[in-house]
Amino acid sequence: MDDRENRIRRVEAAIATLRERGHPDLTQASTSWNADACGSNQRNDAADLSAAQELVRKTADILRVSPAPIVIEGLSPPWLLHEIARATPPLETGYQPAIWVVQADEHEFFDGCAAADLAGLLAEPRIRVFVGPSAKQDFEAALAEPLRQPQAAIVLPTVRRRLEPKVGELIRLAVKRQAADHAARVARLAERDAQTTPAERRVSLARRDRPRRVALIAGRFTTVLKPMIDDLAGAFEDAGWQTRVLSEPSDHRQLVPASYSAALEEFDPDLVVAANHAREDMDRVLAGRVMPRGLPWVTWVQDSMPHLLGASSGSSIGELDLAIGHISSAMVRDCGYPAERVIAAPMVASERKFAPAESAPREETIHIAAFTNHSETPDAMRLRLIREAAATPGLAQIVTALADAAMSIADKPMHRTHALHACRDAAERIVPTTDRATIENLTQNVALRLVDRVLRHRTLGWGRSICDRRGWTMRIFGRGWESHPSLGHLAAGELRHGPELAAAYRAARLTLHASCIAPMHQRLLECALAGGLPAAAATHGSITLAQARIVTRLIAENREQAIPGGEHAGRRWLWFDSNRFPHAARRDALARLRGDDLPPRPAGLGTAFVPIPDADPSTAPTATPELDADKMLGLLELGYTDEPSLERLIERATDDDGWRSRESARIADRARATCTHTSLVRRIEGYYEALAEAPDPARAGTASSLPAAV
């Protein structure tokens, strides 16, 4: 094939690719393009390529993280497009900037297409082309979208006919127009908001005679938050609500304040649910007051993020608002979260998405699997936390000391050491402040996370050792594991949240989880719902919580049938007949698992001992930092504390199909009852229905007029 035929083939391939992507067909325009003459319109290829490479080299760091589309006017020659595309791979979050190509003259565009094979590049969803007579109109339409827009354009010096008005002027006008439109919408939203009273909103939220509307906010570039919000939206739809998820529309565009004002004005929701953001914090992120003040707002806490742990973080939760999710008693006590407007729901799973029928079979047999993106080693994480703290004077020294203390805590067996208490004690010794929120922030986001990372990686090391010794198969699913120094050969990549992930759960004989922050995790519930079998590290914290709830139940319901057991190890004890009260025997078994010093048993009696709580159980905080792993999973049945106990679990899950199926079904039944998106929507609806029935609208939302939401 001669050079002329190559040029024609490249142009035809580019036109076909654009046509497949929905671009107006350029075939007719190409008939008047002269393939023989196109070469004379090109400058020196080597010089142009070198210039493009030099420009991109100088700006690569900026281009790679560009929050807005990168605009290039001119495709002839195509080397700048090539170099920018090569220099902007997806970020770790999944975001990759869009690239827009503007060309007023179709023949110049064909010249660029003829110079190189561009069909593959033009097929990328992030590449958008505006060419020919409709270029200005199409470009203006793209600039009018309520998304982050470019601030400038790169104009090739070889462009013979520029777009009129100039691309830069069109961008400037569009940015100005977007700001004005946003300001007008915010004013209209505020006016609309002021016209509805709190009493009217309470009644509206409880009405079931019309479709209620809920807007849900979550960033696309997160591992868990966006899928969780999508699943919650599905549960709201099942309950009859109309939903709108406010999130980035693709991996290549970002939202701006105008995105939110446009969606809120058009959709006019009755309720907003935001993942990890209170209303005022959302406005802080948007650098302006965008969210209507009277619109009922649900803050769904998924992670212990710094902006959720400030001294007054919970004070913005208004009389029609809720905080749901992973809300600890410390957040209620120290961060202003109103207990009467808290629904503790540490985790929920999607029953629809992880139904066994939805998971396709996998050919590979996996003895044990783990699903986590925490591939960064503990040592690397320690150095990163210290490096990030260096921007604040004096903070790096504090973080270094706290990180070192955390690494020492992590060296101890986790079922013998309460990680949260040990980390908090270390923070109180090291951090030079009495501000409880600051101490809690450093405890949660430095010390405890480091201890948690050590536990996760140590557990995976146990799994690798067991499988190497027994000839079993192990796979680690998640981001970044292929680079791990000792576990990289077990990396199996990321899986989409849905049937693909459910299939892996079912294929593994046992799914491992290890965390001192959250001994129970959403993925363990998903695993059981999909027909897999999860197992969790039995930590001091999870055992302590399980014991405390058993003791509370025994003393509240059966104390009159207990016999005083005297004192032992500085505690007062009661004993129960373990034949009559199996829960008492379970508490003793959990105590032995934790390594507690128990009182001596009376000879010949089937007894179990429980300590008398120091305080009335009814006064305990209602918000809890974690789901009871024993109640949901069964720490005695599916918990492990070391490598031998983990090996015994894997062996039984491998050899006993009946046991594996029964245990999986047991956990799935418990999850369906209390830990699905459907059950969470029911609890939110129930709260607002009770709110509507409150006798005194002026006192709505206060503890004295409403039952606690927890």
Side-chain angles (χ1 to χ4, degrees), residues 413-486:
M414 282 293 99
H415 63 295
R416 303 288 180 89
T417 304
H418 198 299
L420 175 59
H421 292 172
C423 289
R424 190 173 287 141
D425 290 345
E428 290 173 347
R429 290 194 310 270
I430 294 169
V431 181
T433 182
T434 57
D435 179 60
R436 296 303 311 172
T438 299
I439 291 174
E440 189 68 17
N441 200 337
L442 288 167
T443 297
Q444 297 271 0
N445 290 300
V446 176
L448 193 60
R449 290 193 181 278
L450 263 175
V451 173
D452 191 71
R453 187 62 56 93
V454 172
L455 175 60
R456 289 175 187 266
H457 284 238
R458 184 165 60 209
T459 297
L460 294 175
W462 292 343
R464 181 202 62 197
S465 175
I466 293 167
C467 288
D468 287 348
R469 188 172 62 253
R470 300 290 298 266
W472 291 337
T473 302
M474 178 176 178
R475 293 288 179 268
I476 304 177
F477 296 91
R479 187 185 309 128
W481 286 102
E482 62 278 357
S483 301
H484 192 279
S486 61

Side-chain angles (χ1 to χ4, degrees), residues 103-122:
Q103 187 91 66
D105 189 285
E106 293 154 313
H107 289 185
E108 290 186 63
F109 179 77
F110 298 144
D111 288 347
C113 294
D117 286 316
L118 297 182
L121 197 56
L122 295 177

Side-chain angles (χ1 to χ4, degrees), residues 230-477:
D230 287 341
D231 291 337
L232 187 64
F236 270 110
E237 290 169 0
D238 289 344
W241 292 65
Q242 294 177 353
T243 68
R244 175 76 61 85
V245 175
L246 307 186
S247 187
E248 292 80 4
S250 74
D251 290 342
H252 317 298
R253 299 302 304 275
Q254 293 191 10
L255 302 183
V256 288
S259 310
Y260 295 92
S261 63
L264 290 176
E265 182 177 50
E266 190 274 329
F267 187 57
D268 190 19
D270 300 294
L271 183 69
V272 172
V273 178
N276 278 348
H277 286 293
R279 187 198 320 267
E280 276 70 12
D281 181 64
M282 195 72 210
D283 280 344
R284 178 188 60 77
V285 171
L286 300 178
R289 180 164 285 199
V290 178
M291 301 301 165
R293 313 331 278 169
L295 182 61
W297 186 280
V298 178
T299 300
W300 192 6
V301 179
Q302 294 283 305
D303 305 288
S304 299
M305 302 182 73
H307 64 267
L308 297 172
L309 296 175
S312 59
S313 296
S315 63
S316 66
I317 299 172
E319 65 180 37
L320 298 182
D321 300 340
L322 267 176
I324 65 174
H326 194 277
I327 302 170
S328 69
S329 55
M331 292 168 69
V332 173
R333 183 184 65 242
D334 301 327
C335 302
Y337 286 82
E340 69 277 5
R341 291 195 287 280
V342 166
I343 293 179
M347 69 196 67
V348 287
S350 171
E351 184 178 1
R352 290 193 310 171
K353 187 180 286 184
F354 289 93
E358 296 297 321
S359 55
R362 290 177 64 97
E363 295 181 1
E364 180 186 24
T365 298
I366 306 172
H367 291 89
I368 55 175
F371 301 81
T372 173
N373 289 319
H374 294 179
S375 58
E376 183 183 40
T377 67
D379 288 337
M381 182 180 182
R382 173 185 173 277
L383 292 175
R384 175 175 58 80
L385 292 172
I386 295 170
R387 184 173 63 253
E388 291 172 354
T392 303
L395 184 57
Q397 184 177 356
I398 294 171
V399 170
T400 299
L402 189 56
D404 290 343
M407 299 295 269
S408 296
I409 292 168
D411 284 340
K412 303 171 184 176
M414 282 293 99
H415 63 295
R416 303 288 180 89
T417 304
H418 198 299
L420 175 59
H421 292 172
C423 289
R424 190 173 287 141
D425 290 345
E428 290 173 347
R429 290 194 310 270
I430 294 169
V431 181
T433 182
T434 57
D435 179 60
R436 296 303 311 172
T438 299
I439 291 174
E440 189 68 17
N441 200 337
L442 288 167
T443 297
Q444 297 271 0
N445 290 300
V446 176
L448 193 60
R449 290 193 181 278
L450 263 175
V451 173
D452 191 71
R453 187 62 56 93
V454 172
L455 175 60
R456 289 175 187 266
H457 284 238
R458 184 165 60 209
T459 297
L460 294 175
W462 292 343
R464 181 202 62 197
S465 175
I466 293 167
C467 288
D468 287 348
R469 188 172 62 253
R470 300 290 298 266
W472 291 337
T473 302
M474 178 176 178
R475 293 288 179 268
I476 304 177
F477 296 91

Side-chain angles (χ1 to χ4, degrees), residues 594-659:
R594 195 175 67 174
D596 292 354
D597 179 19
L598 291 173
R601 292 177 178 275
L605 295 178
T607 60
F609 285 84
V610 300
I612 300 175
D614 295 328
D616 183 348
S618 65
T619 66
T622 49
T624 59
E626 59 193 11
L627 197 67
D628 186 344
D630 189 55
K631 182 177 180 180
M632 291 300 301
L633 196 67
L635 294 175
L636 298 176
E637 293 78 14
L638 290 168
Y640 56 89
T641 59
D642 51 23
E643 186 172 329
S645 60
L646 176 58
E647 184 170 359
R648 288 192 294 271
L649 275 178
I650 302 169
E651 186 172 37
R652 187 170 188 185
T654 298
D655 295 341
D656 192 338
D657 284 337
W659 174 80

Side-chain angles (χ1 to χ4, degrees), residues 678-694:
T678 300
S679 65
L680 181 56
V681 168
R682 284 199 300 264
R683 294 173 73 187
I684 294 171
E685 288 182 324
Y687 174 79
Y688 282 110
E689 287 168 3
L691 193 67
E693 296 172 1

